Amino acid sequence: MRYDVVVVGGGPAGASTARFLTEKGAKVLLVEKKRLPRFKLCAGCLSARIVPLLPEGWESEVLNTVKGGFLGFRGERFHRRTSERPIAYIIDRASFDHFLVKSAADKGVDVWGETEFLGFEEGRTLRVRTNRGEVEAEFLVGADGFYSRVGKQLGLEKEKFFRSVEFWTEGDLREEVVIDIGIVKRGYGWIFPKGSRVSVGLATTGKENTLRVLKSYVRDHWLLNGVDIKGVKGWMIPFATERGDLQLGRDRVLLVGDAANMVDPLLGEGIYYGVLGGKILAESIVQSPDRAYQVYRKRVEGEIFPELYYAGRIARLAYTFQRAAFRMGGGHAMDRFLDLLSGRRSYKDLYKKGLIEFVISLLPFENFSHIIIDKILRRR
Ligand SMILES: Cc1cc2nc3c(=O)[nH]c(=O)nc-3n(C[C@H](O)[C@H](O)[C@H](O)COP(=O)(O)OP(=O)(O)OC[C@H]3O[C@@H](n4cnc5c(N)ncnc54)[C@H](O)[C@@H]3O)c2cc1C
């Protein structure tokens, strides 16, 4: 059997790449090793800027529409902001990813579930080996997540990543999310709505014992009141802060999503970037088959990397000076952040606008720093 493109991985990045490719006329095979719908550890928060990239019918996947949130410090104090319009949507990953795969199949993608990619050989075409047999392809796309086997065959390893833990419990947040800093050295804790329940978790690039920190987070948090911690699972979230961190593959073997480290280093948001990366990858293959890798890299560096870079700069400041970052959240920073999630601002904009405020918020006197911030903003 022969395909234009074989895509490995039925997560958001793989399913979207396959759909965008087929919409442009390519013959595509998607292989997913698990049986669909499959579980994926994830808080399932989609920033609203993803909407134009989603297939028709996505609204039916939404469990909660987020219109605001709390930025907390150590689960004790918090700032709260709300917005008129949706800033994010909460979905269940098993159902949402299945929906994306079904949408790709509806467009004509051949989907092989419970099929594991085993390796590839390069010749005039690529020979792609799976546990269901071998196929030929012009291009191979690795959208196979953190432990990408396609990436491993290219000799790639993950260097920068969050370790994260998550569990679901009873709770009612409906339209708001909670993000708490001051809990781990470099990272944050979250409580997100999940339909009529909540997802509780934390992500860190530090060396803490995540389970121990999660327990004290839950015990002390004003919203959780020490609920039972059951069914905690852990997983890694890779990210990129430098151009060289992007692992995009080579020649006719290309990577996207977590496999490519296409995740923001501030929050670990990967779904939006994986889907956007899939669109860019599909366009690069279809429009420039002879230079697909070069075009793909150039476009990712121009259209995705600046966001990851500035998110990384914000992360470095915010996680090093967490008390100051929290103080700053009481000013205009949170409104700008909501604008970012809804697609009306970029991380670059956030970084540049917020830098002066941030320096001021390093001052120890909270009220005094707010007076200065207001004066500066009025002068702008
Ligand atoms: C606890 C936690 C919370 C998170 N919360 C959020 C959030 O709220 N919002 C957000 O945007 N991001 C979040 N993320 C990050 C997000 O989950 C990832 O960035 C996203 O899943 C990346 O999508 P992907 O398609 O690249 O990879 P994945 O979703 O990991 O999909 C990869 C697929 O490849 C398949 N596969 C792997 N190997 C093979 C093989 N050899 N053969 C065939 N198939 C294979 C896997 O079974 C899997 O289905 C979170 C991550 C974690 C761990």
Side-chain angles (χ1 to χ4, degrees), residues 153-170:
Q153 196 174 333
L154 295 175
L156 302 170
E157 272 177 31
K158 301 277 174 252
E159 279 171 18
K160 296 180 180 171
F161 51 89
F162 290 99
R163 290 178 305 119
S164 66
V165 283
E166 185 195 10
F167 73 103
W168 296 5
T169 185
E170 302 312 316

Side-chain angles (χ1 to χ4, degrees), residues 65-115:
T65 298
V66 177
K67 288 195 175 161
F70 299 83
L71 175 68
F73 189 71
R74 300 202 169 142
E76 297 158 5
R77 295 178 287 144
F78 60 82
H79 303 301
R80 185 180 196 177
R81 285 287 185 285
T82 49
S83 156
E84 294 282 291
R85 58 191 118 211
I87 52 156
Y89 301 96
I90 303 290
I91 47 87
D92 169 64
R93 283 296 302 274
S95 173
F96 177 72
D97 291 12
H98 195 204
F99 160 77
L100 292 181
V101 171
K102 283 187 288 185
S103 304
D106 287 347
K107 295 280 176 185
V109 173
D110 282 353
V111 178
W112 291 2
E114 295 177 84
T115 304

